Amino acid sequence: MIIRQAETADAERLVSLMADAERSGFMLFEPGERQIAPDQLSKRIAAVEQDEKSAILLAEDNGELKGYLFIIGNSAQRRSHNVYLAIGIAETSRGQGVGSRLFEQLDAWAAEKKIHRLELTVMIHNRAGVALYQKAGFKIEGIKKNSLKIDGEYIDEYYMAKLLGE
């Protein structure tokens, strides 16, 4: 498996991977809710390529995309040391080290870009996600009460972060 940065040519396969990841029920978008066409995603990838504090990492094995990690930087000077993360892994690839490999590459990318703080949110009941993030060195900083509403029920999220260079 290789971890690499997304290219505009990956857009169609990445749209499919994102839809697969959203079927887990643990993502912000409900299954089928996100309506993004490959040409729209291709433009977003191109924009990310021009932003030195953002990236899209892909896990690929034998030409098949297994997972992605969106790294979303900040343009405000006071938050330029900080990135927000969104990760998705193909259903058939979960529990196989894809997430760990993406986070290892993230750490190298962040060190190169002099990023100090990595942030993400995760539904409290997503035990596998919480375990992955803790294994990668993230700590729970707080709870976002009633952050999401799923099937008529309010769901809490953990706010998690990892500080680098300490």
Side-chain angles (χ1 to χ4, degrees), residues 3-6 14 44-45 47-58 68-74 80-88 101-111 113 115-120 138 164:
I3 307 297
R4 63 175 179 81
Q5 292 208 28
L14 183 51
R44 182 161 183 203
I45 293 169
V48 166
E49 288 175 336
Q50 301 305 310
D51 180 355
E52 70 175 52
K53 297 289 183 166
S54 297
I56 302 170
L57 300 180
L58 299 178
Y68 63 86
L69 179 60
F70 279 72
I71 306 166
I72 304 155
N74 288 281
S80 64
H81 66 287
N82 185 25
V83 296
Y84 184 80
L85 310 171
I87 187 171
R101 293 283 307 275
L102 285 164
F103 279 116
E104 288 169 10
Q105 186 63 37
L106 166 66
D107 286 347
W109 178 91
K113 301 296 182 181
I115 299 297
H116 177 65
R117 182 179 170 85
L118 310 173
E119 299 178 345
L120 57 82
F138 286 77
L164 303 172

Side-chain angles (χ1 to χ4, degrees), residues 12-84:
E12 189 169 340
R13 293 185 308 147
L14 183 51
V15 165
S16 178
L17 175 59
M18 291 165 67
D20 180 78
E22 288 165 354
R23 284 193 285 276
S24 73
F26 290 123
M27 306 296 283
L28 174 62
F29 289 97
E30 293 182 3
E33 178 183 8
R34 184 194 310 258
Q35 298 297 315
I36 187 166
D39 63 322
Q40 292 171 302
L41 186 55
S42 181
K43 289 176 186 170
R44 182 161 183 203
I45 293 169
V48 166
E49 288 175 336
Q50 301 305 310
D51 180 355
E52 70 175 52
K53 297 289 183 166
S54 297
I56 302 170
L57 300 180
L58 299 178
E60 184 175 30
D61 192 27
N62 293 321
E64 183 180 347
L65 295 184
K66 302 289 189 174
Y68 63 86
L69 179 60
F70 279 72
I71 306 166
I72 304 155
N74 288 281
S75 60
Q77 184 61 34
R78 291 180 178 184
R79 292 189 46 86
S80 64
H81 66 287
N82 185 25
V83 296
Y84 184 80

